């Protein structure tokens, strides 16, 4: 995303605007939210199992594949062919939900389990966007 600074003055005489000292700084959401661009993907949360930690149905998840997985990280994983977002308990080999209505899942040797990445950010959209509907 390229930022083009534009400073405009309306040419109004009289009292100076309190915002006249405000300068718009370059802002790149990519730079703020994504640490490893070549190892990051974006997905959308589906369901209510993570609402206890602030991830709600429809939220946008920024998932980094390069980040080293730690105990109790929020991850996106593939469990037996289904993509899931859970808290990983590495010591007990559990996938934890953040909703008391959902049970935790034990990872067994019979399961096909791969960690796709660590959720490093989640974004809540307060208004539906046709742009997101067509891309995610």
């Amino acid at each position: 995303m390229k930022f083009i600074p534009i400073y405009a003055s309306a040419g109004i005489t009289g009292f100076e605007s309190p915002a006249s000292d405000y300068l718009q700084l370059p802002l790149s959401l990519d730079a703020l939210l994504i640490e490893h661009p070549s190892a990051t993907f974006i997905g959308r949360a589906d369901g209510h199992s993570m609402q206890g930690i602030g991830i709600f149905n429809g939220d946008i998840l920024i998932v980094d594949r390069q980040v080293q997985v730690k105990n109790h990280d929020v991850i996106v994983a593939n469990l037996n062919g289904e993509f899931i977002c859970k808290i990983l308990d590495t010591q007990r080999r559990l996938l934890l939900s953040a909703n008391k209505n959902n049970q935790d899942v034990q990872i067994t040797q019979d399961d096909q389990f791969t960690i796709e990445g660590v959720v490093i950010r989640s974004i809540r959209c307060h208004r539906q966007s046709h742009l997101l509907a067509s891309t995610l």
Side-chain angles (χ1 to χ4, degrees), residues 14-121:
F15 292 108
E16 186 176 350
S17 168
S20 65
D21 290 334
Y22 173 76
L23 296 177
Q24 190 166 358
L25 300 175
L27 178 66
S28 166
L29 289 177
D30 291 353
L32 287 172
L33 300 175
I34 298 174
E35 298 172 24
H36 305 106
S38 63
T40 299
F41 66 93
I42 296 173
R44 179 169 269 166
D46 183 23
H48 305 283
S49 72
M50 299 304 288
Q51 66 186 15
I53 59 166
I55 297 175
F56 293 87
N57 188 46
D59 283 359
I60 297 169
L61 305 177
I62 300 175
V63 183
D64 194 326
R65 291 178 177 224
Q66 189 170 326
V67 173
Q68 182 69 34
V69 178
K70 297 179 185 173
N71 193 38
H72 290 123
D73 271 343
V74 177
I75 62 161
V76 170
N78 189 316
L79 178 65
N80 299 323
E82 181 180 352
F83 283 99
I84 57 171
C85 178
K86 297 287 182 192
I87 300 167
L88 179 64
D89 184 335
T90 58
Q91 297 168 347
R92 298 184 296 160
R93 294 186 53 85
L94 285 174
L95 297 171
L96 309 173
S97 292
N99 182 333
K100 62 182 178 182
N101 296 325
N102 295 75
Q103 293 184 345
D104 300 334
V105 177
Q106 181 74 49
I107 305 166
T108 68
Q109 290 183 350
D110 296 330
D111 289 320
Q112 293 179 350
F113 177 75
T114 56
I115 296 173
E116 299 298 327
V118 176
V119 177
I120 58 168
R121 314 272 187 273

